[in-house]
Amino acid sequence: MTALLECRGLSRAWGAFFAVSEVNLDVAEREICAVIGPNGAGKSTLFAMIAGNLAKTSGSVRFAGEDVTKLTAPVLAARGMARSFQVTAICPGLTALENVRLGVQARDPIRWRPFGGAAALRRGEERAMAWLDQLGLTGTAGILAGELSHGDQRLLEVAVALAQEPRLLILDEPTQGMSIEETRRTVDLLRRVISDTNTAVLLVEHDMEVVFALAPRIVVLHRGRKIADGPADIVRADTQVQQAYLGELD
């Protein structure tokens, strides 16, 4: 498969401390890849560099064949890279429908034209309702996002990201803080929506049941370095990976 995302030698240092060190990572078109590792392994830092939210100390990122190393998050989003965050990032004072509509309108070229705004608004609402329906959130359309349950807020953020019709969706712990039932529901919804959209997905998740349910391929970070990369069943049985999670790896 053709590589959609190509990361080479990605590093991020604060003084002498390297949160991420010389990480290479490829994600193919329509591939689902999970990045796992113990707390402090550098997962969220890696995602922030890829998505343009954090400057790289060294290394490069190519997306859809183009060098995007120095591009910012808004520019990358416009080129087809969307993400969710470890801490939910939605507009709490807007309704669920209005939140998703913002994601839809971000990809609508008419929004920049002096005329046609009403048509864009209607189209945006229709598409936003369709995304809410796909994520099981139809009943929340008129509710302020800040008043939704934690699980629904996490799903709403995914809906906003998907509404941008990305080629690559970056999910940073999408089930964090969810109950067991909310997690099961979210996994089922994500599995179906990802399959329907054929979007490539890069996923960070601490819940290993979620990881193995969604991702055929797993990359493992430990102390900022990549120590494993391969099919989920092989990585799961890797002695070095098991030692890293048990805190036995130097």
Side-chain angles (χ1 to χ4, degrees), residues 4-6 8 16 22 26 49 68 73 99 110 112 130 139 142 146 148 160 162 246:
L4 175 65
L5 177 73
E6 303 171 79
R8 294 292 178 270
E22 295 293 322
D26 290 351
M49 287 193 290
V68 299
N99 269 270
I110 290 181
W112 298 114
L148 298 177
V160 173
L162 285 168
L246 292 172

Side-chain angles (χ1 to χ4, degrees), residues 143-215:
I143 301 174
L144 292 179
E147 297 177 359
L148 298 177
S149 68
H150 174 74
D152 282 349
Q153 287 185 2
R154 299 296 284 171
L155 282 173
L156 177 61
E157 187 180 20
V158 174
V160 173
L162 285 168
Q164 299 170 50
E165 300 182 9
R167 295 181 67 180
L168 175 65
L169 177 63
I170 300 175
L171 299 176
D172 195 344
E173 299 194 34
T175 67
Q176 184 183 55
M178 289 187 181
S179 67
I180 294 175
E181 185 55 39
E182 285 177 327
T183 297
R184 289 173 180 165
R185 172 189 171 220
T186 298
V187 169
D188 290 341
L189 287 167
L190 286 176
R191 186 190 291 117
R192 176 172 54 78
V193 171
I194 290 169
S195 176
D196 289 345
T197 59
N198 286 322
T199 303
V201 176
L202 191 56
L203 166 76
V204 159
E205 181 57 65
H206 277 296
D207 189 325
M208 290 298 98
E209 290 188 15
V210 174
V211 170
F212 293 119
L214 292 175

Side-chain angles (χ1 to χ4, degrees), residues 88-101:
T88 308
I90 53 177
C91 299
L94 299 180
T95 66
L97 177 63
E98 289 168 337
N99 269 270
V100 181
R101 190 179 68 201

Side-chain angles (χ1 to χ4, degrees), residues 72-110:
T72 61
V75 176
L76 288 172
R79 299 192 183 191
M81 189 185 296
R83 71 167 297 190
S84 70
F85 292 83
Q86 196 171 26
V87 177
T88 308
I90 53 177
C91 299
L94 299 180
T95 66
L97 177 63
E98 289 168 337
N99 269 270
V100 181
R101 190 179 68 201
L102 289 174
V104 173
Q105 290 177 306
R107 298 288 289 173
D108 193 333
I110 290 181

